[in-house]
């Protein structure tokens, strides 16, 4: 591990974090709902712009700070940086543990819905020309637990790692916007706000924060804290139960379907 690359990466990440936090959370009312732009979204955009191949390719000074070595190292640092997020989930759940127990098995059974991404997304990925990247990109919605599984099993710099990181970044960029609008509109379905709050916990801290934040603004003030507690609990349990569902169900199923579908749907490359 290059010491210079580590120092450069940490300094750049720290500067981007400070700028993103100074921008803060922005809300845009579009009539049918509210789009929530979180600091994490701004941080990801800034990170993309300064990497080689984007804005960093055009600015000579940036190329000296962020190069291929730093980009390769960033994948490893992602795994480390996600650890404090799990601690934060615990601080949100603890004070509301009684309400969590009252929710019963609903929070545990919701993980089965995560398997739907395989059947919907894998054929599309193969038609687009992805190979083993499609496995990493489609065996889940590719959040923190998925990064850990792929990183340990295949390596974050593998084809599968490229797929899971690609979906992770796209989810951060567009998923937060989509789910913040969905959180505002979901009450019109007639479902109970607590059930909708559970649905926001799909294993993504950014998506959960955006959708539950929009949902909590749309319910009565008395329900606001409970909605956020259910959302945080659901998200935490998805990270726990989802880890095993992804490891023992989703990933083997995706590999099996890949072997069956790739010869039929996959594009042949010379």
């Amino acid at each position: 591990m290059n010491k210079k690359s580590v120092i450069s990466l940490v300094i750049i990440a720290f500067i981007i974090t400070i700028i993103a936090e100074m921008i803060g959370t922005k809300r845009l009312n579009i009539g049918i709902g509210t789009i929530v732009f979180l600091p994490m979204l701004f941080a990801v955009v800034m990170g993309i712009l300064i990497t080689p191949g984007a804005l960093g390719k055009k600015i000579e000074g940036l190329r000296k700070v962020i190069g291929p070595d730093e980009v390769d190292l960033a994948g490893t640092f992602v795994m480390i940086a996600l650890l404090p997020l799990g601690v934060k989930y615990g601080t949100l759940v603890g004070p509301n543990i009684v309400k969590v127990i009252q929710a019963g098995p609903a929070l545990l059974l919701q993980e089965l819905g995560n398997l739907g991404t395989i059947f919907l997304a894998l054929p599309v990925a193969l038609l687009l020309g992805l190979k083993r990247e499609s496995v990493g990109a489609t065996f889940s919605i590719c959040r923190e637990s998925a990064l850990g599984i792929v990183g340990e099993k295949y390596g974050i710099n593998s084809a599968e790692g490229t797929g899971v990181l690609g979906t992770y970044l796209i989810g951060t960029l567009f998923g937060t916007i989509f789910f913040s609008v969905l959180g505002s509109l979901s009450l019109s379905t007639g479902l109970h706000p607590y059930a909708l709050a559970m649905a926001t916990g799909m294993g993504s801290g950014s998506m959960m924060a955006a959708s539950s934040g929009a949902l909590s603004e749309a319910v009565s003030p008395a329900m606001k804290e409970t909605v956020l507690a259910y959302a945080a609990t659901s998200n935490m349990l998805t990270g726990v139960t989802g880890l095993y569902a992804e490891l023992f169900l989703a990933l083997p199923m995706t590999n099996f379907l890949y072997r069956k579908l790739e010869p039929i749907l996959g594009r042949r490359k010379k």
Side-chain angles (χ1 to χ4, degrees):
M1 185 178 292
N2 191 313
K3 184 177 180 180
K4 177 181 177 297
S5 297
V6 173
I7 295 173
S8 298
L9 197 61
V10 170
I11 292 175
I12 291 295
F14 180 75
I15 293 173
I16 288 176
T17 302
I18 295 297
I19 296 174
E21 289 296 332
M22 289 176 65
I23 296 173
T25 301
K26 302 296 181 182
R27 288 178 170 81
L28 176 63
N29 194 331
I30 58 173
I32 61 172
T34 302
I35 300 177
V36 181
F37 298 98
L38 298 171
M40 184 178 180
L41 174 64
F42 303 123
V44 170
V45 172
M46 284 186 284
I48 292 174
L49 289 177
I50 67 171
T51 54
L55 185 62
K57 188 176 181 180
K58 300 178 182 179
I59 301 178
E60 188 65 30
L62 287 175
R63 294 179 65 183
K64 296 179 180 178
V65 179
I66 298 294
D69 291 340
E70 286 73 25
V71 173
D72 291 339
L73 190 60
T76 303
F77 271 56
V78 167
M79 311 298 297
I80 301 173
L82 292 174
L83 294 176
L85 186 62
V87 177
K88 183 179 180 181
Y89 290 159
T91 61
L92 291 172
V93 175
N96 297 278
I97 191 63
V98 175
K99 295 177 181 178
V100 172
I101 295 174
Q102 291 173 349
L107 287 171
L108 297 175
L109 294 176
Q110 68 166 356
E111 183 55 37
L112 295 177
N114 193 38
L115 300 178
T117 61
I118 304 169
F119 303 100
L120 292 174
L122 181 60
V124 176
L126 292 173
L127 289 172
L128 290 174
L130 274 69
K131 295 298 182 182
R132 290 297 300 177
E133 295 88 351
S134 63
V135 174
T138 63
F139 82 103
S140 77
I141 59 171
C142 297
R143 306 319 298 169
E144 289 79 9
S145 58
L147 283 173
I149 291 172
V150 172
E152 288 295 322
K153 188 173 180 63
Y154 301 105
I156 205 64
N157 294 319
S158 64
E160 294 82 358
T162 299
V164 72
L165 276 173
T167 305
Y168 182 85
L169 290 174
I170 291 298
T172 301
L173 287 171
F174 300 106
T176 50
I177 298 174
F178 175 79
F179 277 101
S180 63
V181 175
L182 189 63
S184 299
L185 298 179
S186 56
L187 284 174
S188 61
T189 62
L191 295 173
H192 196 282
Y194 293 165
L196 295 172
M198 291 184 211
T200 66
M202 72 293 292
S204 165
S206 57
M207 294 183 195
M208 182 274 292
S211 52
S212 63
L215 179 63
S216 65
E217 293 296 329
V219 299
S220 63
M223 301 175 71
K224 184 174 181 178
E225 288 190 7
T226 304
V227 164
L228 294 176
Y230 272 119
T233 303
S234 174
N235 205 58
M236 184 192 69
L237 289 178
T238 299
V240 176
T241 60
L243 177 68
Y244 297 103
E246 289 166 355
L247 183 60
F248 297 113
L249 293 177
L251 191 55
M253 188 184 301
T254 307
N255 278 314
F256 173 78
L257 289 176
Y258 177 84
R259 291 192 296 269
K260 298 296 183 182
L261 296 178
E262 199 281 329
I264 302 172
L265 302 177
R267 291 184 181 179
R268 288 289 169 261
K269 297 181 180 180
K270 294 182 181 180

